[in-house]
Structures are given as C-alpha cells and as structure tokens.
Amino acid sequence: MGEVKVFASDDVRGKRVIVRVDFNVPIRDGVVADDTRIRAAFPTIEALLEAQAAVILMSHLGRPAGTGYEEAFSLAPVAAKLADYPGMQGHDVIFATDTIGPDAKAKAASLVPGQVLLLENLRFDKREKKNDPEFARELASLAEVYVNDAFGTAHRAHASTAGITAYLPSYAGFLLEREVRTLTDMLDAPDRPFVAVLGGSKVSDKIKVITALIDKCDTLIIGGGMCFTFLAAKGYGIGKSLVELDWIDAAKDMLAKAEEKGVALLLPVDVVVADRFAADAEARIVAADAIPEDMMGLDVGPETSLAFAVAINGAKTVFWNGPMGVFEFDRFAGGTLAVAQAMAGISWRKADTIVGGGDSVAAVNKFGVAKSMHFISTGGGASMELVQGEALPGVEALRKGE
C-alpha cells in the first residue's frame, strides 16, 4: 500500500486548511453521546493550529437524504462539543449553517489563523457521495490546502475524500497516516507468530478478508455467527444456528486453502446454545458437533475460549475483527471477553494487538481493555478493504500529486 505524505508545518503555516475529518458520531437528545472519533482527530487539528493555520473542518453525519438540511443529522452539536475541549481554549470554534453556501463562504473568507470553522453535514448535498467535480471544486475554493484525516471514509470516492484533491495541494493527517502504516506493516512485515481473529455474523461479509489473511497469518481463528457455516462445511449439524447455505462450498475451499498453506485454522470445539435469540434464553454448553436440532449457537464455549486465548497468548501480532458471539447479551459474551482479555494480557510484552473497527471496538470498550490495545482502527469498512488488498480511493487520491 505504501506511505502517504503527511503535511509539515511549512505546508500549512498561515494558510486556510480544509480538513476532512470523521465526525460521524452518535447524537442523543442533541448532545454527542460518544466523542471517540472527535478526539482521534485532535492531534491533526492541534498541529495545524500550532502552525498558525486557519482550520476548516468538514464531515458527514449519518445518512441524510441528500436533499438539504435535516435537523437530526446536523453537525451543530459537534461544534458545541468541540468548543468545550481544553485544547480549543483560546481558539474560536465557528459553525457554518451550510457547506458551500453563503454562510460557509463568508465565514471561511474571514477566518484567521488559530480559528476553527466546522461546516454543516456534507451529505446534505447529494453531490458529495457522487464525487461531483463542481461540488469538490466549491469545497476546495474555501481553502488553500487540503488534509484528509478521515480513514473511516477513505474507502469511499466522494467529493470530500477524492475529488477535492484535484484542486488543492493535498496531504494526509496524522490519524489517516497511522491507520494506513499500521495495517500495511501488519500485512507486509508482521512480527510472528501472526494470529488473526475473525468473527461476526456472515462469511459472505468476510470472505475476501479470510482469503487475504490465510496468505499472511500463521493462525486464523474463526468465531461468531459465521463459524457455523464452517462447521456445516465440516459436515456438522448446526441446529437453528445462523448459516449461509450458499457459502458452504466457499468455506470448504477456505479450510482446504489453510491446510495447503500450513495455516492453523481454529474453529469452535464447543458452543453455547440457546432455545431462542434473547438475553434470558435457556442456554447450555454442547460440543460443536452435537448442536441440538431445536437450538442455536450464540457464542463459542469455554473450551474454545481457552484454546483461542492460548493461541493469542503465543502471538507477537494479533489482528481482531468481529465478536465471537452475541456479546451484547452477557450470557453469550464469554468468547468475546476471552479474546479481549487475551489480547490485553499480551500487551505487557509489547505484542502488536490491532483491533479492526466495528463491533470489536465496542467490545474492547465494553470490557474496559481498550487502553491495553496497541492500535484500534477508527474505520471498520476501510480497514477491512485495506486488509483484503483493495486500494482506498481516499488514500490513492492523496498520492496522485506526489
């Protein structure tokens, strides 16, 4: 994948810099409920302010229709949250009520070094997702330099992530650069043994990732709902467990490929089954090849959890994406907890523990081990596409001018 060029102080000093950030955060009752993504952008924002840049921030939020303002998806609560941070003391935080309209243009034109302007939701204009050249040009006209620090949207060829680079000197922010570097180094030169842990519900969602990782890792752990398609591929009865019948043959191919490559592919040897999908469902532990016909697997079992933890404990690099079970229900959280704790447990010896976004991030936060992880990706979809070897439009656009 290669490196991306990060801005230096001299590239931005005294200039208006427009920064694509990922402020797609949960808003509840008009207040930011989780500011993780906002805080992740602060190293880049603070560096720009220290270089006496005037900073224009732009982001999407949610999935508006693209036909204009929708209060539920306004970034106004994010602007209020920004102004509250200690790092913003002494810096004016200004909010534009549009994106490329009169308010944004007037406030951008009058912005002075040390001030921060946040534009309204990019996706209020349908041209953003269409990578419309005119919309990209209008965004670019607000500034003199462009910085992309939104790894979570780097897999999308949108006006604010790709199109804008045709009109301005363009650089990566610190967050995007670290995401690309960490995941690329993990794939190209991991410290071994390299263990990959994949969960989630569907094999179809992860087939390219599985294929790519079999070529890279020493041990591949499969849990979550998708493990039942693999168990079915081995000829096991899986009761009412989640299964993708159309992907059983692909699972057989993956098992054969892992064996051919000498990769240890670990599947559950026992599972926690339930009579229904509910927090208070009747549950018991059974062998993976003895799931009752009237029950469904909702977590890996304790013997499996121990085997997964042992494999992780022997690793020097671990990549994790996807829970081992329905961890939102405490009764079915044991497997996911075991993986999280095992990864946290090897951090003391400086093993690389990398969490690949999505539900895995929610899990390490829930179990209180996030601070023990070497790296937590902010972009679930982007990290998966990078791992499976696909070019990220937002990253490739930055390279065009190099």
Side-chain angles (χ1 to χ4, degrees):
M1 193 84 182
E3 297 178 354
V4 287
K5 186 178 181 180
V6 180
F7 67 90
S9 295
D10 288 345
D11 298 319
V12 299
R13 192 174 308 281
K15 296 179 180 178
R16 289 193 312 278
V17 181
I18 189 163
V19 187
R20 180 49 159 106
V21 290
D22 183 5
F23 286 173
N24 184 26
V25 297
I27 308 287
R28 298 195 186 100
D29 298 323
V31 177
V32 174
D34 183 342
D35 67 347
T36 302
R37 288 177 173 173
I38 299 173
R39 286 185 284 106
F42 256 72
T44 291
I45 296 170
E46 289 174 340
L48 291 169
L49 292 172
E50 287 176 8
Q52 290 299 300
V55 181
I56 303 168
L57 304 175
M58 57 178 174
S59 178
H60 76 284
L61 176 66
R63 297 181 178 179
T67 54
Y69 176 80
E70 295 179 49
E71 184 179 2
F73 298 112
S74 174
L75 281 164
V78 177
K81 184 70 175 177
L82 270 174
D84 282 343
Y85 285 107
M88 289 292 99
Q89 290 181 3
H91 301 283
D92 294 330
V93 177
I94 304 163
F95 181 63
T97 56
D98 52 29
T99 305
I100 57 170
D103 194 47
K105 288 180 177 179
K107 288 175 176 174
S110 62
L111 205 65
V112 300
Q115 290 184 324
V116 177
L117 171 65
L118 176 63
L119 305 180
E120 185 54 284
N121 194 336
L122 288 163
R123 291 188 186 172
F124 284 168
D125 192 316
K126 63 183 178 182
R127 294 177 296 174
E128 156 68 358
K129 292 175 69 174
K130 292 181 178 180
N131 196 14
D132 180 85
E134 179 60 22
F135 185 66
R137 189 187 67 77
E138 291 276 12
L139 288 172
S141 72
L142 301 175
E144 300 161 277
V145 176
Y146 168 69
V147 172
N148 189 347
D149 207 32
F151 180 75
T153 60
H155 59 315
R156 306 298 187 203
H158 293 170
S160 67
T161 61
I164 193 173
T165 62
Y167 305 100
L168 291 174
S170 301
Y171 304 91
F174 298 147
L175 176 63
L176 185 142
E177 187 277 335
R178 188 183 177 209
E179 292 265 10
V180 172
R181 173 170 44 83
T182 300
L183 293 171
T184 301
D185 288 350
M186 177 193 79
L187 295 171
D188 293 346
D191 288 337
R192 296 188 181 276
F194 175 20
V195 175
V197 184
L198 295 179
S201 58
K202 296 181 178 179
V203 173
S204 55
D205 290 342
K206 302 278 175 76
I207 191 70
K208 291 182 179 179
V209 176
I210 296 169
T211 302
L213 286 172
I214 287 175
D215 287 330
K216 303 285 187 179
C217 70
D218 302 297
T219 298
L220 178 60
I221 292 172
I222 301 287
M226 68 179 183
C227 78
F228 298 106
T229 301
F230 279 88
L231 293 176
K234 295 185 71 170
Y236 294 179
I238 56 169
K240 293 184 177 180
S241 305
L242 181 67
V243 64
E244 291 179 284
L245 297 175
D246 293 344
W247 289 87
I248 289 177
D249 286 343
K252 289 179 181 178
D253 291 341
M254 293 302 98
L255 291 168
K257 181 181 179 182
E259 185 173 2
E260 177 188 336
K261 294 275 187 179
V263 173
L265 195 155
L266 305 186
L267 292 171
V269 294
D270 61 344
V271 295
V272 182
V273 297
D275 60 341
R276 56 197 170 89
F277 187 89
D280 60 349
E282 176 190 339
R284 68 176 187 265
I285 300 162
V286 300
D289 60 355
I291 299 174
E293 290 185 4
D294 61 345
M295 302 194 85
M296 62 182 71
L298 295 183
D299 192 15
V300 301
E303 189 176 339
T304 299
S305 295
L306 178 60
F308 288 0
V310 167
I312 291 168
N313 190 54
K316 291 185 178 178
T317 301
V318 182
F319 174 72
W320 179 25
N321 178 269
M324 298 296 98
V326 188
F327 74 99
E328 298 87 350
F329 300 155
D330 289 345
R331 186 171 296 183
F332 308 109
T336 305
L337 175 62
V339 168
Q341 289 181 332
M343 289 178 66
I346 62 175
S347 62
W348 66 272
R349 55 180 169 84
K350 307 301 182 183
D352 290 334
T353 49
I354 300 163
V355 182
D359 287 338
S360 302
V361 177
V364 295
N365 285 326
K366 175 178 179 176
F367 299 132
V369 295
K371 290 183 179 179
S372 297
M373 300 299 154
H374 167 68
F375 185 76
I376 297 176
S377 176
T378 58
S383 63
M384 288 298 95
E385 291 197 15
L386 193 153
V387 168
Q388 66 196 34
E390 297 186 18
L392 304 182
V395 174
E396 295 307 308
L398 294 175
R399 295 196 174 107
K400 288 190 302 183
E402 293 182 12

